[in-house]
Amino acid sequence: MNDEKFMRAALEEARKAYDIGEIPVGAVVVRDGEIVGRGHNLRETEKNALRHAELIAINEACGNLGGWRLWQCELYVTLEPCPMCAGAIINSRIKRVVFGAFDSKAGSCASVVNLFELPYNHKPELVSGVLREECADIMSGFFRELRDKKKRSDDVCSR
């Protein structure tokens, strides 16, 4: 199934983020079965709130395709998009969004709110839960590792 194939490509991007200490979210933009944009979180690395995986992938796709209207494209992302990214998806006219794990804190396509249901000028098709466990596992592993590092640091400081 293509959804799983492209979600695995998004997971590869998420692993790149994980490896550099970023929250492990990855995204790819696909047109006609070909990846035209890739991205992974770089907020901490670049000290920039806008460097979300989805925005990086959309930006690369726009550059590669020579325009901002991505109406023939699909976005695959490992975590449900936040409000900023959902807005970029709507504005770039992406036709279909596929995400893996739900985000109960900031998810804006299902969990907290579904911005795609509001009366905006564009409503992408939405598919959720593709490779959900794998996408959730990379997130939970990352945060577990962060908590363990903090605990070890706190233990050293309290001695």
Side-chain angles (χ1 to χ4, degrees):
M1 174 181 234
N2 276 346
D3 284 352
E4 288 186 6
K5 171 186 171 184
F6 292 120
M7 188 59 74
R8 290 195 190 289
L11 276 163
E12 287 176 27
E13 291 297 316
R15 285 185 197 96
K16 291 177 186 177
Y18 190 109
D19 290 344
I20 60 172
E22 293 278 355
I23 294 176
V25 178
V28 296
V29 176
V30 176
R31 186 181 75 175
D32 298 330
E34 179 184 338
I35 295 174
V36 294
R38 295 177 181 272
H40 57 273
N41 274 3
L42 291 171
R43 277 191 319 182
E44 299 299 329
T45 302
E46 297 185 8
K47 307 293 186 233
N48 186 328
L50 302 177
R51 301 302 280 161
H52 284 210
E54 299 96 313
L55 298 183
I56 294 168
I58 289 169
N59 185 58
E60 185 173 292
C62 290
N64 287 335
L65 298 175
W68 63 269
R69 291 178 187 88
L70 302 178
W71 62 275
Q72 296 176 309
C73 296
E74 300 169 305
L75 174 75
Y76 292 82
V77 59
T78 57
L79 184 67
E80 179 183 355
C82 73
M84 175 177 66
C85 293
I89 291 163
I90 291 166
N91 283 317
S92 63
R93 313 296 195 268
I94 289 175
K95 72 175 178 180
R96 185 168 179 260
V97 175
V98 180
F99 73 83
F102 288 84
D103 183 353
S104 63
K105 294 181 180 177
S108 295
C109 301
S111 296
V112 175
V113 67
N114 186 343
L115 293 178
F116 298 162
E117 290 179 345
L118 296 177
Y120 292 113
N121 59 331
H122 178 71
K123 295 180 187 299
E125 178 187 340
L126 183 64
V127 177
S128 60
V130 174
L131 300 181
R132 181 180 183 170
E133 285 185 30
E134 288 178 55
C135 293
D137 286 349
I138 193 169
M139 292 293 288
S140 59
F142 177 80
F143 286 109
R144 183 174 39 256
E145 190 175 297
L146 273 184
R147 285 189 302 274
D148 291 347
K149 283 180 186 176
K150 183 180 183 332
K151 185 175 187 250
R152 286 191 302 270
S153 172
D154 289 348
D155 289 345
V156 169
C157 291
S158 65
R159 291 182 184 163

